[in-house]
Amino acid sequence: MVTSRRSLRLPHFSDFEPGWVWLVGAGPGDPGLLTLLAHHALGEADVVVYDALVDDSILELARDGAELIYAGKRGGKPSPKQPDISQRLVSLARSGKRVLRLKGGDPLVFGRGGEEALSLVDAGIPFRIVPGITAGIGGLAYAGIPATHRDTNHTVTFITGHMAGGDMTDGIDWRSVAGFGQSVVIYMALKHLRAITGELLAGGMAASTPVAIVSRAATAHQRVLETELGAAADDAEAAAIEAPAIVAVGQVVRLRAGLDWMGAMEGRLLDSNPLGHDTERDVG
Ligand code: SAH
């Protein structure tokens, strides 16, 4: 008989040294999607500086007595300025604290983690980076949508729908994105969804291109709206889809009919072949 010794098999993690900042991704929501290193850091940190996108169930894993500092938007008030957050990290580290900077998803994907890390470099503060599961991959997986699938796409483009000031992202050649004709995953898309879908349509993507909008992915409040490019903005409005939401555009969305494992757990039937042909034809 084999006896499990899993509990003894946790690796030895680096010490979280006083005066260090760990820049850590919290994943899209479900605490089960934290990395072991993120969990370790939560158990060691003196102070956790967290963003709006970090789920409360994750903060509950912080060490008893750890100070929790909120650094996101709340109640429509303007968010703290980025230089202020960076400065705060620097002064907490200089005061000898173990500082955990916890960000939703992956800290380096549309999360300004790079900017914060550069400020730490400038200030001579030692730091480490712990990647997390980004919403554009893990959040979609919780809706049964793969980032890539051999029969539908060989590329995936990650785009942010708006810039620091809230305006629609400029400098993106939406037509060439559309011209790729493959998967497009858009973060922060809700505010400018009409304009973004309009650009993709103008760029030649068919109005019938499948779209999924996954709101509050990987949390207890996850909601998925399936629609098409031509109708997405109206449908999102009518369904009052809430942020944060991740938008997937492309044929890969059709796989959800077969891969919505969460729906299957709730008893919904799955379509074994949503692409309508033999996906296994050239296993080789
Ligand atoms: N660093 C984060 C992204 C920050 S930008 C990451 O890697 O996931 C914020 C955007 O991320 C949101 O507007 C939304 O588009 C997306 N997002 C983050 N968490 C999400 C979640 N649980 N469900 C859906 N979208 C999410």
Side-chain angles (χ1 to χ4, degrees):
M1 196 176 102
V2 180
T3 315
S4 168
R5 293 161 54 89
R6 280 179 41 100
S7 56
L8 302 178
R9 264 196 263 134
L10 271 187
H12 176 75
F13 296 111
S14 323
D15 291 333
F16 197 155
E17 305 269 4
W20 278 63
V21 176
W22 283 28
L23 189 57
V24 177
D30 184 344
L33 297 182
L34 284 173
T35 61
L36 292 175
L37 261 181
H39 184 261
H40 167 70
L42 278 160
E44 301 271 300
D46 298 312
V47 45
V48 181
V49 182
Y50 66 99
D51 278 348
L53 288 176
V54 176
D55 206 75
D56 286 349
S57 58
I58 288 172
L59 294 173
E60 282 164 17
L61 300 172
R63 173 170 76 73
D64 284 342
E67 187 187 353
L68 302 181
I69 299 178
Y70 181 72
K73 265 189 204 154
R74 186 165 275 172
K77 290 189 198 136
S79 48
K81 298 265 179 303
Q82 192 60 45
D84 296 344
I85 297 173
S86 298
Q87 201 40 55
R88 185 114 195 229
L89 297 177
V90 169
S91 52
L92 285 165
R94 285 200 175 132
S95 71
K97 299 262 187 346
R98 299 173 187 86
V99 185
L100 169 51
R101 175 64 172 124
L102 194 58
K103 289 175 158 290
D106 183 281
L108 302 183
V109 177
F110 303 133
R112 304 208 194 165
E115 288 168 52
E116 293 180 15
L118 286 171
S119 309
L120 298 173
V121 173
D122 285 346
I125 304 290
F127 66 96
R128 91 175 273 168
I129 296 173
V130 180
I133 295 182
T134 190
I137 296 179
L140 293 183
Y142 265 47
I145 301 168
T148 71
H149 185 77
R150 198 171 44 157
D151 286 344
T152 58
N153 62 311
H154 299 102
T155 70
V156 51
T157 306
F158 296 105
I159 298 183
T160 171
H162 60 77
M163 300 187 296
D167 292 343
M168 183 164 150
T169 313
D170 59 12
I172 291 181
D173 182 351
W174 291 96
R175 277 154 216 257
S176 56
V177 173
F180 246 153
Q182 299 219 337
S183 284
V184 184
V185 174
I186 312 160
Y187 291 68
M188 294 178 269
L190 284 186
K191 187 168 170 202
H192 300 296
L193 191 57
R194 194 169 297 280
I196 291 169
T197 52
E199 293 284 357
L200 293 173
L201 289 165
M205 264 195 174
S208 60
T209 307
V211 169
I213 305 177
V214 187
S215 162
R216 304 172 82 180
T219 72
H221 309 283
Q222 174 169 313
R223 250 182 99 191
V224 185
L225 174 72
E226 283 187 66
T227 172
E228 295 182 343
L229 193 59
D234 285 341
D235 287 355
E237 244 173 62
I241 290 291
E242 288 176 16
I246 193 92
V247 176
V249 181
Q251 296 304 325
V252 77
V253 168
R254 289 168 57 204
L255 284 156
R256 175 172 150 77
L259 301 181
D260 175 23
W261 54 274
M262 226 180 248
M265 290 198 308
E266 288 158 11
R268 286 201 286 279
L269 284 181
L270 296 180
D271 177 351
S272 64
N273 195 348
L275 297 179
H277 57 77
D278 179 9
T279 55
E280 293 298 326
R281 65 194 177 285
D282 60 353
V283 260

